[in-house]
Amino acid sequence: MKYKSTRSSVTVNAMEALLHGLAMDGGLYVPETFPQEVLVHKEWQGLSYEEIATCVLSYFFSEIDKDTLGAMIHKAYGNGRFAAAEVVPFHSLDTDLTVAELFHGPTLAFKDLALSLFPHLLVAAKERTNEKKDILILTATSGDTGKAALEAFKDIDGISIIVFYPHDGVSPMQALQMQTQTGNNVHVLGLQGNFDEAQAFVKEVFTDSQVREKIAQRGYIFSSANSINIGRLLPQIVYYVWTYAQLIERGCITQGEAFNVVVPTGNFGNILAAYMAKRMGIPIHTLLCASNENHILTDFLQMGIYNEKRPFYKTTSPSMDIVRSSNLERFLYYVMGEDTTHMIRWQEQIQNNKQATVPTKVLQQIQKEMLGGYASDEIILESIRQVYDRDGYLLDPHTAVGYAVYQKYKRNHLLPSRHTVLMATAHPYKFPLTVHQALGLANTTDPFTALLQLQDMTGIAIPRALHELSHKKRRFMSAVSSSQLESAVLEAADFMKKRSDMHE
């Protein structure tokens, strides 16, 4: 399998795409020939999550033999790394709605499902390309990717990682998870700005020859753990295949019957993986893209206008507080007929005008694949409370966005009448103050007090990964401005290199 950029005809092999993350022209890598209609249920009926992952990912990483790939996948998902034996379990809210719980990994967010495997893929890419320099991963996070990436890559030889997060734009638990991260090869920087600024910096650095040279002099090459990297994106396809298999197993649908999928969406990677699963043969009927008050994606899906000239809101669903959604480029690449000239023009419009529009025919094609809606903070709190009071089931604020948008579409008869799956993206206890408020408990500003009260009320035990944060030392408290990011990266690279040398 070869990979090509969304902005040019240059192709690389899978190992090079994994290693470098972003194409040199600034585009995102996509499979040169996408494997369409290849997944047939009878071929993987009854298989475990690990076995389905091996089946799906073998289409994309053909340079890794199946036995080796299977061993990597077992290291990622086996040996008790996930709290749920099935990796992704399910919960029925009613006869028409199933929740897929993607948050049972080490850091309690859906990002674990890809990032648990990604280090193994990246190490294999480094070996197979005979790369002698160490890898320096730069990752921007809106909350969950950061901790999942830090945990996945900690103390892996030959790889260091720097995570940037919006200093005042994540939940207290998300911040603590990153600030207390252990490992000799990790570094965390708060940014006095938002996620979009951090992500833009990462992309600029990747294509800046002068910065790359400075990093090379320090013995590093750049890579990324964001979903701009195929090693982050493609493993997410697996849980949509697993979802289809389990819906049949649970009697929710029959073999070949189509179902809807609702995805709380920020950077567009999660819902893009669902779209890719559909292209591979999974009978997903309608994709519903759910946004919070930063609803640029809803506006785009409804009107075909992507307008970044808008207010930025800090919401109760911080991992979705994003204006520029990187993976939208891959989706548009496909619906625009894989024409790189369209993508170059699109990016130029965004860069120059902070706005771009798709033709009517393209919008019609988009709307055949995907619908969009959004929910306010008030509705999010109401949804958390409503579902808990009625069903005894606790949603996190991001999943509550998806639930609220689903309910709105269902009430207005805008969603096809089929079984629907809501992708639950995080454990509710990662956002204790918001959930605490939604359930009407006594006001507190201390997340650990909120956790204890939630535990008493719901009977849901506090996961150890969160409980231990109360007594962990905070290692990374720095916050820098956008103008300081480059020098901060170089300083961190020097520091981690020295620390690595001391431990050899």
Side-chain angles (χ1 to χ4, degrees):
M1 173 70 76
K2 296 282 188 179
Y3 289 81
K4 57 186 177 181
S5 169
T6 51
R7 302 185 195 177
S8 72
S9 59
V10 174
T11 60
V12 298
N13 63 38
M15 299 300 103
E16 292 170 313
L18 281 167
L19 195 63
H20 298 290
L22 192 69
M24 290 307 300
D25 56 21
L28 306 184
Y29 285 120
V30 291
E32 186 176 36
T33 304
F34 194 87
Q36 298 194 65
E37 302 297 331
V38 294
L39 296 178
V40 181
H41 178 255
K42 65 181 180 182
E43 294 180 2
W44 33 264
Q45 184 177 1
L47 298 186
S48 67
Y49 190 93
E50 291 182 29
E51 291 166 329
I52 287 179
T54 304
C55 171
V56 172
L57 295 178
S58 63
Y59 287 104
F60 298 101
F61 303 119
S62 53
E63 290 166 301
I64 304 174
D65 68 82
K66 261 196 171 183
D67 287 343
T68 301
L69 182 60
M72 291 178 182
I73 287 167
H74 181 65
K75 288 178 183 177
Y77 304 116
N79 302 319
R81 280 184 53 80
F82 281 70
E86 61 268 57
V87 182
V88 176
F90 297 84
H91 181 89
S92 294
L93 284 182
D94 60 43
T95 55
D96 297 324
L97 182 65
T98 296
V99 179
E101 296 183 344
L102 308 180
F103 53 76
H104 291 278
T107 74
L108 309 174
F110 80 97
K111 306 297 177 73
D112 289 322
L113 287 159
L115 279 163
S116 292
L117 177 61
F118 184 41
H120 303 291
L121 294 171
L122 196 58
V123 168
K126 188 172 185 288
E127 292 171 351
R128 283 164 170 76
T129 56
N130 199 31
E131 178 56 62
K132 300 303 181 186
K133 288 186 172 65
D134 286 349
I135 297 170
L136 178 58
I137 293 173
L138 300 185
T139 292
T141 182
S142 56
D144 288 329
T145 292
K147 173 59 180 178
L150 291 163
E151 191 64 27
F153 283 101
K154 71 175 182 181
D155 293 328
I156 290 184
D157 290 339
I159 301 177
S160 294
I161 179 170
I162 304 174
V163 166
F164 314 96
Y165 72 97
H167 191 256
D168 296 318
V170 299
S171 80
M173 284 298 172
Q174 288 175 313
L176 277 171
Q177 281 187 307
M178 290 183 280
Q179 292 167 353
T180 59
Q181 178 64 48
T182 59
N184 290 315
N185 62 335
V186 304
H187 198 82
V188 180
L189 286 167
L191 175 65
Q192 295 162 352
N194 58 41
F195 169 78
D196 293 300
E197 292 173 274
Q199 182 169 247
F201 168 76
V202 170
K203 287 186 173 182
E204 288 166 10
V205 163
F206 274 38
T207 55
D208 188 320
S209 58
Q210 292 184 344
V211 180
R212 289 203 316 274
E213 179 57 32
K214 291 176 184 177
I215 284 294
Q217 290 170 2
R218 290 162 168 80
Y220 286 112
I221 62 166
F222 280 132
S223 190
S224 172
N226 287 94
S227 54
I228 58 175
N229 193 309
I230 61 163
R232 255 292 314 279
L233 173 65
L234 298 177
Q236 294 180 259
I237 296 172
V238 175
Y239 51 75
Y240 290 103
V241 182
W242 171 252
T243 293
Y244 173 51
Q246 290 301 299
L247 288 178
I248 296 172
E249 182 72 21
R250 292 164 62 87
C252 300
I253 62 174
T254 59
Q255 186 174 328
E257 183 179 351
F259 60 100
N260 303 321
V261 173
V262 183
V263 187
T265 306
N267 210 23
F268 210 80
N270 197 354
I271 199 163
L272 177 68
Y275 168 74
M276 289 179 158
K278 180 177 180 178
R279 291 189 59 165
M280 293 182 75
I282 302 305
I284 296 172
H285 189 274
T286 299
L287 287 165
L288 182 52
C289 177
S291 300
N292 62 20
E293 289 183 278
N294 296 293
H295 50 79
I296 188 170
L297 288 170
T298 300
D299 294 347
F300 173 70
L301 292 169
Q302 292 180 354
M303 297 179 289
I305 303 170
Y306 196 85
N307 184 5
E308 295 183 352
K309 294 180 287 188
R310 62 178 59 226
F312 176 83
Y313 298 104
K314 292 181 180 178
T315 74
T316 57
S317 48
S319 295
M320 295 162 62
D321 290 348
I322 295 171
V323 172
R324 183 171 291 187
S325 302
S326 285
N327 276 291
L328 182 62
E329 179 170 342
R330 284 185 170 114
F331 178 64
L332 290 178
Y333 173 80
Y334 286 120
V335 296
M336 288 182 172
E338 304 186 19
D339 189 332
T340 57
T341 58
H342 287 323
M343 296 316 306
I344 293 169
R345 193 177 305 120
W346 171 271
Q347 292 302 327
E348 287 175 348
Q349 290 176 12
I350 294 288
Q351 193 67 32
N352 297 332
N353 306 319
K354 302 297 181 185
Q355 179 175 312
T357 304
V358 296
T360 302
K361 285 186 178 180
V362 174
L363 178 59
Q364 291 170 346
Q365 179 61 35
I366 288 170
Q367 291 174 340
K368 288 179 182 178
E369 302 288 352
M370 196 174 298
L371 302 174
Y374 75 95
S376 66
D377 273 358
E378 182 182 0
I379 296 299
I380 292 167
L381 294 175
E382 183 182 318
S383 296
I384 294 171
R385 181 170 55 251
Q386 178 189 96
V387 172
Y388 184 75
D389 288 347
R390 188 189 64 217
D391 303 304
Y393 188 77
L394 201 56
L395 301 174
D396 88 282
H398 305 79
T399 309
V401 172
Y403 179 82
V405 172
Y406 162 75
Q407 287 293 341
K408 181 178 180 180
Y409 265 80
K410 187 178 179 182
R411 277 195 309 271
N412 294 323
H413 306 288
L414 298 173
L415 193 67
S417 181
R418 296 178 181 275
H419 195 88
T420 299
V421 180
L422 171 62
M423 310 311 285
T425 54
H427 195 292
Y429 283 8
K430 288 195 76 169
F431 308 91
L433 296 177
T434 298
V435 176
H436 187 272
Q437 179 188 354
L439 298 187
L441 294 172
N443 188 42
T444 180
T445 58
D446 177 48
F448 295 102
T449 298
L451 277 178
L452 289 170
Q453 292 179 358
L454 285 169
Q455 180 177 251
D456 288 343
M457 178 181 184
T458 66
I460 300 171
I462 301 170
R464 187 176 68 177
L466 296 182
H467 192 276
E468 65 186 10
L469 291 176
S470 62
H471 56 266
K472 269 192 166 185
K473 180 183 177 181
R474 297 192 188 194
R475 297 178 65 199
F476 305 106
M477 300 294 291
S478 298
V480 299
S481 65
S482 297
S483 62
Q484 297 171 308
L485 277 173
E486 182 180 323
S487 59
V489 166
L490 296 175
E491 289 173 13
D494 287 336
F495 180 70
M496 286 189 292
K497 180 64 74 173
K498 290 177 183 176
R499 192 161 55 192
S500 175
D501 292 342
M502 288 174 60
H503 285 83
E504 284 184 353

